[in-house]
Amino acid sequence: MLTERIWSGNSLRNFHYLIACPETGQALAVDPLEWRLCLDAARDRGWEITQIVNTHEHQDHTGGNAGLKAATGARVLAHAGAAARIGGVDQGLNKGDIIRVGRSVELECLDTPGHTMTHVCLLAHGDDAAIFSGDTLFNAGAGNCYNGGDPQALYDTFVSQLAQLPDATRVYAGHEYLTRNLEFTLDREPDNADAAALLAQTRRHAAADAPLTTLALEKRINTFFRLQTPQVIARLRVSFPELAAQPDPRTVFIKLRELRNRW
Ligand SMILES: [Zn+2]
Ligand SMILES: [Zn+2]
């Protein structure tokens, strides 16, 4: 599996991805808002874009469909429940569907509600373990829930799906928010040396070259995976004095998400 991360350069800080089969050069584009950048990147590498996947229905993920489809004839795939709202979708996706790219790449479709209620993540298994996580899981953060989402569902997605992925899984998120997310982590957990080290590294790079993370690293630097960490709870009780001394992880997650909305 060949993976190309394409920095949009836009104010929303979108990342786009091309996932290609090394044997055939066929490629799948994930959320190609700035579609000309994706087309140029594919042409540079001799790849042919044959499929487009939208992780969810927000315009900053679907807005490039028409242009890229007109230029390449690619088929558009999206969550079956979001297809009608997106329009022009050729194939609705359901939990467990396998998307094939060329001869050698298989991506499993995860149904991951929370940011919106019709959001898919794409999972590559094996030596290339990777998740294309859209706006559900960001590097060092979690998606917001105020444009059609639900923090309770996002918590369930984090605990029952994302936290269960293999440690080596690389995290390819829909936006570049790493610096801001690490600052939030360190505001919750000032003693988190892993987050401090990654923040220092991140500040040395332009957004286009932001460091990649893995699930193992996320569990050390992403507050939304660290719901029982004493310092996280202690600091949260400063913002929410009504919180119990030993709150359950769901409550911690909901309060962290609420705090992040205004932070
Ligand atoms: Zn979104
Ligand atoms: Zn987005």
Side-chain angles (χ1 to χ4, degrees):
M1 183 176 87
L2 303 171
T3 302
E4 186 75 26
R5 185 178 71 177
I6 298 162
W7 166 240
S8 64
N10 68 12
S11 62
L12 297 171
R13 308 185 70 77
N14 289 84
F15 274 137
H16 315 314
Y17 299 95
L18 295 178
I19 305 166
C21 168
E23 295 176 21
T24 66
Q26 289 176 314
L28 178 153
V30 181
D31 293 339
L33 175 63
E34 305 292 343
W35 62 271
R36 289 181 183 84
L37 297 178
C38 298
L39 192 58
D40 288 346
R43 284 177 175 159
D44 285 348
R45 286 153 191 77
W47 297 345
E48 179 197 2
I49 297 173
T50 55
Q51 298 178 90
I52 297 165
V53 168
N54 296 142
T55 56
H56 63 292
E57 67 271 31
H58 287 159
Q59 200 276 340
D60 60 312
H61 297 255
T62 63
N65 289 2
L68 191 55
K69 186 169 185 167
T72 63
R75 299 176 75 239
V76 177
L77 292 70
H79 194 294
R85 273 169 290 160
I86 293 171
V89 173
D90 298 297
Q91 181 183 337
L93 296 170
N94 295 288
K95 173 184 167 66
D97 284 355
I98 302 294
I99 302 166
R100 293 189 168 77
V101 185
R103 270 199 298 270
S104 62
V105 178
E106 290 191 345
L107 300 164
E108 181 186 349
C109 184
L110 305 183
D111 191 353
T112 52
H115 171 67
T116 73
M117 299 312 285
T118 48
H119 190 299
V120 296
C121 293
L122 301 181
L123 183 64
H125 294 279
D127 292 344
D128 293 322
I131 185 166
F132 297 85
S133 57
D135 289 0
T136 296
L137 170 63
F138 292 122
N139 302 109
N144 67 53
C145 303
Y146 46 70
N147 284 305
D150 173 14
Q152 301 281 352
L154 189 63
Y155 169 77
D156 290 330
T157 290
F158 262 66
V159 169
S160 64
Q161 298 194 69
L162 302 177
Q164 309 301 321
L165 297 174
D167 278 349
T169 308
R170 284 165 291 150
V171 178
Y172 293 112
H175 295 267
E176 200 293 295
Y177 296 152
L178 184 55
T179 300
R180 185 82 177 133
N181 284 337
L182 287 169
E183 288 169 353
F184 182 69
T185 293
L186 285 163
D187 197 38
R188 314 270 60 73
E189 254 187 292
D191 297 340
N192 188 321
D194 293 312
L198 185 60
L199 181 58
Q201 184 191 345
T202 301
R203 283 178 171 153
R204 290 195 294 272
H205 292 280
D209 302 313
L212 280 179
T213 65
T214 61
L215 243 295
L217 183 56
E218 288 295 327
K219 288 179 180 177
R220 300 204 302 270
I221 63 165
N222 189 331
T223 301
F224 293 91
F225 283 119
R226 299 176 62 76
L227 307 173
Q228 296 293 276
T229 306
Q231 197 169 39
V232 170
I233 293 171
R235 292 273 297 146
L236 205 54
R237 294 185 73 209
V238 174
S239 302
F240 301 97
E242 73 281 10
L243 209 60
Q246 309 223 304
D248 61 89
R250 179 182 293 273
T251 302
V252 174
F253 186 98
I254 301 298
K255 290 297 182 187
L256 283 171
R257 190 51 264 175
E258 186 182 331
L259 188 62
R260 184 67 176 84
N261 288 346
R262 59 175 192 254
W263 189 83

